[in-house]
Amino acid sequence: MAENTNAQTQREELHKTIWNIADSLRGAIDGWEFKSYILCSIFYRYISENLCNYINKLQFDAGVEGFDFAKLSDEEANDEGVKNQMVAEKGYYILPSQLFVNVARKAAEDDNLNETLSKVFAAIEATAQGTPSEDAFKGLFSDFAVNNSQLGNSVSKRNELIAKVLVAIRDLDLGSTFEDHSIDAFGDAYEFLMKMYASGAGKSGGEFFTPQEVSEILARIVMLGQKNLKTIYDPACGSGSLLLKAAKLAPNKEDLHFYGQEINPTTYNLCRINMFLHNINFANFDIQLEDTLHKPQHLGMRFDGIVSNPPYSIPWDGDANAILINDERYAPAGVLAPKTKADLAFTMHMLYHLAETGTAAIVEFPGVLYRGGAEKQIRKYLVDNNYVDAIIQLPANLFFGVSIATCIIVLKKSAKKDNSILFLDASNLFKKEGNKNRMMPEHQDAVVNAIADRKDEQYFTKLVPCDDVAKNDYNLSVSSYVEKEVIKEEIDIEKVNADINDLMAKAVKLNDEINKIIAEL
């Protein structure tokens, strides 16, 4: 227990330090715009130290003591065999002069720091070109814009600020060896910063970050009963928090392969960086940049687990595009999601890509549960084919920029145990922290355990046959099936009467005093 408490204290201190650094350095630049410089610097330091430690350990194991790759000259390190080996195993190679520690050490005196970094980033990406890791590294540093005028009105001013960022990240205590705790520290620092940036960005930040407690619920639900989970997919992966929560909880992380698609270039980069910082090898993830609904990059693949928090009620082509009604993902429902609300288009896309024995857990806008028209027709298809395993009503105000109470739809195919849907009301399972609500570990446990048990519990869960849902016009709102507990306050009549008598006595006394004052006047 003491060790856990100490680790928590260290984590909180790291969080406080890193946020103070990030917030103080940005100056007049908006925090959300400045995040790329902090996050990319952390990534640059990580891959530099990761490579250095790996090579140093290989040398140590070979009997070479005191070897330090960072102190070699570029000529000594520019060995084609070593380079090829590192690219094959790590996905990239960095010459000693290009390592973070060496660039940061000279940053304050480097009048051409902007050019130095541009060349370093281009060189790192170039080592992966033409290799299996090319897609994982291509454009990773594109958001680190060294000549951004917002950093300063001259090259020297911009370089001065960038140098301060590099030095501040260099001086952060993120651990000494990757075999020990530094991987967790890098990943933890990254996730904390994403949370803080998303919180400050409000509505826009919600696209990039799903609260950890919601991510945990989705991942745990997907893993229930899965004995051979090999693939995890998120077609709207954002910064990758959902995929990485699955990685953290999975017992066989080394065997898992992660797939994702993202439409926003900045978020796409953040997701790939996030993968590396959590020690996911490039060979184990495939993150693509493209519009999922119109240009799916993993079409036809089937995944053991799908976790997703797709954007709410965004517009899409819908029936304005005659090709979509024949798309194998959407055609089975016989109707397309409305042009103004693509929520169920994402749902149909995920159902199509779900393995027969897999589970999908999707955060949804609550309107998809009860709206009519095309959305009702899609719900009818899902219910009649027994694909809906559970509906979970979440508390309000969990997400950044979204105060409404969202829900989770759990989908299964042949893995369903029955021909019913479990409705679960978790709307009261939260603790208020600041201006947001949080689902604590005990709340998360209650939800996951209820999904596993699939039993009725008054005011909490209701297992409803699909036929009954059909009779209820395919309404999937939890409130239509789970009774709300009405809590009546007990009233002490004797105390109430005593309070009334006391008030009346005070009123009589006050009235007498007022009459005396009037008489004196």
Side-chain angles (χ1 to χ4, degrees):
M1 181 64 73
E3 184 179 354
N4 291 337
T5 301
N6 185 50
Q8 180 63 26
T9 300
Q10 289 179 334
R11 183 178 293 109
E12 290 174 356
E13 286 298 318
L14 172 63
H15 289 174
K16 182 179 179 181
T17 300
I18 197 170
W19 183 245
N20 286 340
I21 290 171
D23 202 41
S24 62
L25 286 175
R26 70 179 177 85
I29 306 175
D30 176 75
W32 188 247
E33 297 299 324
F34 192 63
K35 71 182 183 305
S36 295
Y37 297 95
I38 297 291
L39 297 174
C40 283
S41 295
I42 291 175
F43 173 64
Y44 177 26
R45 175 183 162 181
Y46 171 82
I47 60 173
S48 294
E49 293 183 9
N50 187 293
L51 182 74
C52 239
N53 289 345
Y54 189 71
I55 293 175
N56 290 347
K57 188 175 186 301
L58 289 176
Q59 291 294 314
F60 180 81
D61 292 343
V64 182
E65 295 185 10
F67 181 86
D68 188 352
F69 180 73
K71 293 181 179 179
L72 295 184
S73 68
D74 285 356
E75 289 73 20
E76 292 174 299
N78 200 14
D79 180 276
E80 201 66 23
V82 174
K83 175 184 174 181
N84 291 339
Q85 180 185 352
M86 291 303 103
V87 171
E89 295 180 24
K90 290 291 182 181
Y92 64 97
Y93 189 62
I94 306 176
L95 291 172
S97 69
Q98 301 168 341
L99 292 168
F100 175 88
V101 64
N102 290 329
V103 173
R105 177 167 50 83
K106 301 176 181 178
E109 291 76 38
D110 188 349
D111 294 333
N112 299 309
L113 182 59
N114 57 331
E115 294 180 11
T116 298
L117 286 174
S118 294
K119 291 177 181 177
V120 168
F121 295 158
I124 294 172
E125 289 185 27
T127 63
Q129 287 178 2
T131 75
S133 63
E134 180 174 0
D135 285 346
F137 277 89
K138 187 176 182 180
L140 268 184
F141 294 100
S142 60
D143 291 314
F144 197 112
V146 294
N147 294 314
N148 184 352
S149 61
Q150 288 184 305
L151 297 177
N153 55 15
S154 66
V155 172
S156 61
K157 286 292 184 183
R158 294 194 282 271
N159 283 343
E160 181 181 346
L161 180 54
I162 292 172
K164 288 180 179 179
V165 171
L166 295 179
V167 171
I169 298 304
R170 179 198 66 189
D171 293 341
L172 275 175
D173 182 11
L174 293 174
S176 57
T177 64
F178 288 98
E179 290 78 16
D180 186 10
H181 54 75
S182 56
I183 290 174
D184 289 337
F186 275 97
D188 183 73
Y190 189 87
E191 288 180 9
F192 169 74
L193 282 170
M194 281 303 305
K195 175 183 176 181
M196 296 301 290
Y197 282 127
S199 176
K203 186 175 182 179
S204 62
E207 302 174 26
F208 298 80
F209 187 83
T210 300
Q212 288 296 307
E213 57 268 28
V214 178
S215 301
E216 178 118 2
I217 289 173
L218 296 178
R220 289 176 64 185
I221 288 174
V222 162
M223 292 180 188
L224 283 173
Q226 291 267 27
K227 297 180 180 179
N228 195 28
L229 191 71
K230 291 184 178 179
T231 55
I232 295 284
Y233 175 56
D234 184 351
C237 59
S239 61
S241 60
L242 289 176
L243 290 172
L244 287 165
K245 180 59 69 174
K248 182 177 181 180
L249 297 176
N252 58 327
K253 174 183 174 180
E254 294 76 15
D255 300 327
L256 273 178
H257 284 74
F258 304 87
Y259 298 83
Q261 189 165 332
E262 175 57 39
I263 195 172
N264 183 295
T266 295
T267 324
Y268 164 66
N269 288 336
L270 291 174
C271 183
R272 291 184 295 157
I273 287 174
N274 212 356
M275 289 285 155
F276 282 111
L277 288 177
H278 285 80
N279 205 33
I280 307 295
N281 188 275
F282 71 91
N284 282 34
F285 71 82
D286 178 6
I287 310 297
Q288 296 293 326
L289 176 66
E290 194 49 89
D291 183 332
T292 293
L293 297 180
H294 299 97
K295 295 181 179 180
Q297 297 299 294
H298 304 97
L299 188 64
M301 295 184 68
R302 298 294 187 268
F303 302 101
D304 300 322
I306 299 177
V307 288
S308 193
N309 179 19
Y312 307 143
S313 302
I314 61 168
W316 77 308
D317 287 354
D319 58 15
N321 185 338
I323 296 176
L324 290 177
I325 192 58
N326 295 314
D327 189 301
E328 54 194 320
R329 297 169 294 163
Y330 313 125
V335 66
L336 296 170
K339 291 194 292 288
T340 57
K341 301 177 182 68
D343 308 75
L344 290 183
F346 280 104
T347 304
M348 290 295 293
H349 169 91
M350 284 181 253
L351 177 67
Y352 173 80
H353 288 91
L354 183 63
E356 286 297 321
T357 57
T359 302
I362 313 160
V363 179
E364 303 263 14
F365 189 83
V368 304
L369 302 177
Y370 56 80
R371 289 188 299 231
E375 290 182 307
K376 176 185 171 183
Q377 288 300 111
I378 295 174
R379 289 198 305 274
K380 181 180 186 302
Y381 167 75
L382 296 174
V383 173
D384 287 349
N385 286 278
N386 197 28
Y387 292 138
V388 184
D389 188 65
I391 305 290
I392 304 166
Q393 180 62 61
L394 293 173
N397 203 28
L398 291 177
F399 294 81
F400 299 113
V402 181
S403 60
I404 61 167
T406 55
C407 63
I408 296 174
I409 294 181
V410 181
L411 300 178
K412 287 187 178 182
K413 290 183 177 176
S414 61
K416 277 201 69 173
K417 298 177 181 178
D418 48 46
N419 198 34
S420 299
I421 300 171
L422 182 74
F423 291 88
L424 190 157
D425 184 1
S427 58
N428 293 321
L429 299 183
F430 67 89
K431 177 183 178 183
K432 189 168 182 61
E433 289 191 354
N435 61 353
K436 302 301 294 181
N437 293 332
R438 279 196 62 200
M439 296 184 75
M440 308 307 289
E442 60 270 23
H443 302 143
Q444 299 165 32
D445 289 344
V447 170
V448 176
N449 291 339
I451 293 295
D453 293 341
R454 293 183 72 79
K455 296 178 181 177
D456 289 355
E457 182 178 337
Q458 190 175 25
Y459 309 128
F460 187 46
T461 56
K462 183 72 174 178
L463 192 61
V464 182
C466 290
D467 288 344
D468 290 352
V469 174
K471 292 174 184 176
N472 196 27
D473 211 23
Y474 296 97
N475 186 326
L476 292 177
S477 296
V478 172
S479 59
S480 296
Y481 304 96
V482 180
E483 180 185 4
K484 279 282 186 184
E485 183 176 11
V486 179
I487 302 175
K488 295 182 179 180
E489 183 181 358
E490 290 189 9
I491 300 175
D492 187 338
I493 298 298
E494 291 184 2
K495 186 177 183 303
V496 171
N497 288 334
D499 289 342
I500 292 173
N501 290 335
D502 185 50
L503 288 172
M504 290 179 65
K506 289 179 180 179
V508 170
K509 182 179 179 181
L510 182 61
N511 189 57
D512 289 342
E513 291 175 354
I514 292 173
N515 288 335
K516 288 178 181 179
I517 294 172
I518 293 175
E520 291 175 359
L521 291 174

